[in-house]
Amino acid sequence: MKLTVVHLEGSKQGQTEHLPGPVIAIGRDPASNQLAFDPFKDLDVSTNHASVTFQGDQVMLQDLGSRNGTFLNGVKVAGAVPLPNDSVVQFGEKGPKVKLTYIFHSGPGKKTQMIQDLSDKLAGAEEEKKKSKSRNVLLATCFFFLLLFGGLGVFLYSSSAKKKALKAEVEALKTDELPRARAKAEGMGAAGEATAKGDWEAAVAAVTAAEAAEQDEAWDQAKAQYALAVKKFDAAGEAATLAQLTALRSQATAAGKMAEDAAKKREEDQKNAEEALRKAKEEEERRLAELIRRLSDAAKIKENLRALEGSTNPDELKGAVDALQKALAENPDDPALKEQLEKFQAQLQRAENVGEDLTKAASEAKAKVVGIRARVFAIPAGQRVDTTKIRIPIADSHGTGFFASASGHIVTAKEVVEPHNFDPAALALQTKLREKGMQVLTDLEVMTATAGIYTTTYTGARVAVVRRFNDSVGAEAPVTIPFDNAQVEVKVRPHRRDESDVVILKVDGLTDQPYLQLGQGEPAAGLPLVVLGTQQGGDGLESSDQVGLFLFQGKVVAAGKRMELDAPSFRSWIGGPVIDANGKVVGLLVAEGTDKSKALAPSVFKAELD
């Protein structure tokens, strides 16, 4: 048994190899494969790619789990499949391509022995012919010596060129045409076909004669014999092919109805197979689309949940846990989803028991929360505070603020610094005093805590307003106040508590000051929080004149730039910070209430501090 390999494409293109059975291993490893490809050029071929096995009267082609697959006559194979003779096999879609033909033999049979005997006789005759040729050559040599001196130069040149050309033609016939023709004839079984016997034997004899002529460097004769061998092998192959076709036609005619029924059965089976393949393909496409959707949903969930990492909002975290559980049910083998689910479940558990974290965050914020006192008064025009004893009070407020930068910036509500602009009566008094030529001034005090008690720390020129938002005034309304021993009516437009109700103060010379970090964006509803504010008197203070820091826990009820909080507060808490369990400011208190409070989100004023 023998396999003939004609390389059609690849690094060995144009070469022919003859390989013995019964098992021929194919791959890029030259140590473990009989049919070995170039390990540096034929990279589509795996180290151990495939094999060809002679099994009884059948030849099998098997793919050995290669990376790029094995293709038989253009069709990708899986496992072991029968290998038809004279087939084209490709290793990888873009890999080398070969033509495989094979013959079975187990030693010389009767016909083969006859061919060998005939070959021996022909060889003896050829030997006698050589001897005769040698005598003739000797006589011819004598004759040539007579002519040598007349045309030696021309003869040597032309003879050498002709010899080289003939040798090249012989080599081409021997290495290209002859293996092709012989492999085709062997593939068609020409050696054992009666109608092809004469041509086959003639071809074998011609090969023997050509090889002998090559040994004698008789290139003309070698060329002619090789050409004859190619011609006879082609003829033998055609005769064998014709015989096979004739036999097949005869069998088809004899089979008659049986063949027709078999054809119909095959057609029906083919249709059934195609229908099954179509349904399987549709099911695979459906599964692939579903997998892509699941993976896409999982990827979107992962991306959206990144924004919730570190959140202390139970409502947000419960939604994240529900989404992850659903995604994990569809993608149970995704380790990243499992890890995220465990992390958010732990985060939700902490958020649902956030009270201790809020208390801790409030405690750590004490040193960064300040009390602010504003006294608004009027003095005569042209006078200074230190040169006049006339001082008419207009408004007096106590509020709260907090350090928002290391360089001493304090954020508070505008109402804390300008209480007269929010109180209709105080605004009416200011209007009447200015009509009398008085000038209105404000004296600010910033109080910081020592051992939990607030005392005045920064006053006068050290405290200045560095940024006040534009005024937002309400509708005009009449107000009646006592003035100059009479009741007078004044039309005023008090300021409103909205997004403009923000002031930024600066304490001159203050550096490396601890400050509260501002949160990002607008907090979502359900976020647990604590409201901080300073006030005079109360539990924990030794006297009603002392100022301390107090707090209430709650959560965001309505989100937005202007938030509603489910937490009580007091008048002196206005301007105070609203912080989450991470200690970040999520709001600035602008309206107090016994049950509900209102605050501005950090996004309203954060840009003014950057």
Side-chain angles (χ1 to χ4, degrees):
M1 55 196 76
K2 181 170 66 175
L3 180 70
T4 300
V5 182
V6 179
H7 292 270
L8 304 177
E9 294 178 4
S11 65
K12 301 171 79 172
Q13 182 176 1
Q15 298 182 28
T16 300
E17 296 180 71
H18 302 285
L19 304 171
V23 178
I24 295 130
I26 304 169
R28 283 195 297 129
D29 183 6
S32 60
N33 294 285
Q34 286 77 32
L35 177 53
F37 289 88
D38 192 308
F40 302 103
K41 296 180 180 178
D42 299 315
L43 299 180
D44 286 274
V45 183
S46 297
T47 303
N48 296 290
H49 195 107
S51 68
V52 173
T53 307
F54 290 77
Q55 299 178 355
D57 59 350
Q58 193 174 30
V59 180
M60 303 297 290
L61 171 66
Q62 182 174 5
D63 181 271
L64 300 178
S66 64
R67 183 180 67 257
N68 297 315
T70 303
F71 297 81
L72 173 59
N73 293 324
V75 179
K76 188 175 183 180
V77 303
V81 297
L83 174 66
N85 215 335
D86 207 23
S87 295
V88 175
V89 178
Q90 188 170 16
F91 305 99
E93 285 188 336
K94 299 181 180 179
K97 187 183 292 183
V98 299
K99 187 173 186 181
L100 303 180
T101 56
Y102 51 82
I103 59 173
F104 292 89
H105 59 83
S106 58
K110 183 176 179 181
K111 293 181 181 180
T112 305
Q113 189 64 47
M114 291 173 64
I115 292 172
Q116 290 178 350
D117 293 342
L118 179 59
S119 297
D120 292 340
K121 290 179 181 181
L122 290 174
E126 186 63 28
E127 184 63 29
E128 183 61 31
K129 184 176 179 182
K130 286 182 180 180
K131 293 178 181 179
S132 176
K133 179 180 176 183
S134 298
R135 291 193 294 271
N136 291 336
V137 169
L138 180 60
L139 292 173
T141 302
C142 294
F143 176 75
F144 278 119
F145 268 102
L146 294 175
L147 301 176
L148 180 62
F149 295 102
L152 181 59
V154 175
F155 171 76
L156 288 176
Y157 176 78
S158 61
S159 177
S160 176
K162 182 179 179 182
K163 180 180 178 181
K164 186 176 181 180
L166 282 171
K167 186 176 181 181
E169 292 180 20
V170 168
E171 187 65 24
L173 284 168
K174 178 181 178 181
T175 59
D176 295 335
E177 293 298 316
L178 181 62
R180 176 199 60 75
R182 183 164 189 162
K184 182 177 180 182
E186 289 177 340
M188 300 311 299
E193 177 57 50
T195 58
K197 179 179 179 182
D199 289 326
W200 177 268
E201 292 176 349
V204 172
V207 171
T208 303
E211 290 173 346
E214 265 195 287
Q215 294 294 326
D216 295 336
E217 297 188 355
W219 303 112
D220 281 328
Q221 187 178 352
K223 174 184 176 183
Q225 290 298 327
Y226 275 130
L228 177 60
V230 170
K231 181 178 179 181
K232 290 300 182 181
F233 275 132
D234 281 338
E238 291 172 0
T241 302
L242 181 59
Q244 291 179 6
L245 290 174
T246 302
L248 288 174
R249 290 193 188 100
S250 177
Q251 292 173 6
T253 302
K257 187 66 170 59
M258 184 181 296
E260 184 179 348
D261 292 344
K264 289 181 179 179
K265 182 66 167 57
R266 286 195 300 272
E267 183 178 356
E268 184 179 351
D269 291 344
Q270 178 68 21
K271 288 181 179 179
N272 291 338
E274 290 176 354
E275 178 65 15
L277 181 62
R278 183 187 65 78
K279 290 182 178 179
K281 185 177 181 181
E282 288 179 353
E283 177 62 17
E284 183 64 24
E285 290 176 350
R286 185 193 67 76
R287 290 178 180 177
L288 179 61
E290 177 65 14
L291 177 60
I292 291 173
R293 183 191 67 76
R294 290 178 179 179
L295 291 176
S296 176
D297 290 346
K300 290 178 181 177
I301 288 172
K302 293 176 186 176
E303 182 66 27
N304 294 336
L305 293 184
R306 288 195 185 97
L308 296 180
E309 291 182 357
S311 173
T312 57
N313 189 332
D315 293 344
E316 288 181 335
L317 294 174
K318 189 175 186 307
V321 169
D322 291 343
L324 282 168
Q325 288 175 335
K326 180 180 178 182
L328 194 58
E330 296 181 346
N331 302 275
D333 297 327
D334 190 331
L337 285 175
K338 292 180 180 178
E339 183 180 347
Q340 274 197 313
L341 177 59
E342 292 174 357
K343 182 171 67 175
F344 275 97
Q345 285 175 331
Q347 198 169 327
L348 174 60
Q349 186 176 7
R350 290 195 302 270
E352 289 175 339
N353 299 280
V354 76
E356 293 182 3
D357 292 336
L358 286 172
T359 301
K360 180 181 177 182
S363 177
E364 293 176 351
K366 285 183 179 180
K368 305 157 190 175
V369 179
V370 300
I372 301 173
R373 181 179 296 279
R375 294 182 176 87
V376 185
F377 56 93
I379 63 175
Q383 296 290 320
R384 299 198 311 269
V385 175
D386 59 346
T387 61
T388 181
K389 294 183 179 180
I390 299 175
R391 178 179 295 210
I392 301 176
I394 298 176
D396 190 341
S397 72
H398 177 110
T400 307
F402 59 93
F403 283 107
S405 78
S407 56
H409 287 100
I410 297 173
V411 176
T412 188
K414 188 190 297 182
E415 184 176 358
V416 174
V417 177
E418 302 174 1
H420 55 297
N421 287 329
F422 291 79
D423 181 357
L427 188 57
L429 177 59
Q430 172 189 251
T431 302
K432 299 304 293 181
L433 290 173
R434 281 181 172 167
E435 288 177 357
K436 293 181 67 71
M438 304 288 284
Q439 55 178 321
V440 177
L441 302 175
T442 302
D443 184 20
L444 296 176
E445 297 179 9
V446 174
M447 296 175 285
T448 59
T450 302
I453 304 300
Y454 280 82
T455 58
T456 300
T457 307
Y458 309 105
T459 59
R462 291 197 64 184
V463 182
V465 176
V466 294
R467 174 71 170 94
R468 63 186 301 280
F469 283 40
N470 294 332
D471 292 333
S472 175
V473 297
E476 187 176 71
V479 177
T480 301
I481 61 171
F483 188 77
D484 281 350
N485 299 318
Q487 297 290 322
V488 298
E489 183 181 278
V490 183
K491 292 183 178 181
V492 295
R493 300 182 63 186
H495 289 204
R496 295 182 298 191
R497 295 170 167 178
D498 55 19
E499 289 86 348
S500 67
D501 191 7
V502 180
V503 166
I504 298 176
L505 306 179
K506 176 70 167 63
V507 177
D508 185 42
L510 199 62
T511 58
D512 299 327
Q513 173 66 34
Y515 63 96
L516 292 176
Q517 296 280 351
L518 301 182
Q520 299 292 328
E522 298 170 3
L527 177 69
L529 51 81
V530 60
V531 181
L532 300 176
T534 61
Q535 69 184 58
Q536 188 173 338
D539 295 339
L541 299 179
E542 294 181 0
S543 70
S544 60
D545 294 331
Q546 289 182 334
V547 176
L549 182 65
F550 297 85
L551 60 91
F552 279 117
Q553 292 186 13
K555 64 180 179 179
V556 176
V557 177
K561 288 185 178 180
R562 185 175 171 86
M563 304 179 295
E564 185 173 334
L565 312 179
D566 184 13
S569 59
F570 298 97
R571 182 72 174 173
S572 62
W573 293 24
I574 297 297
V578 180
I579 62 177
D580 62 12
N582 293 320
K584 291 189 177 182
V585 176
V586 296
L588 171 69
L589 194 68
V590 293
E592 79 285 0
T594 55
D595 295 316
K596 308 286 185 183
S597 303
K598 293 182 179 180
L600 299 179
S603 58
V604 173
F605 53 86
K606 185 176 185 300
E608 300 298 329
L609 292 166
D610 292 341

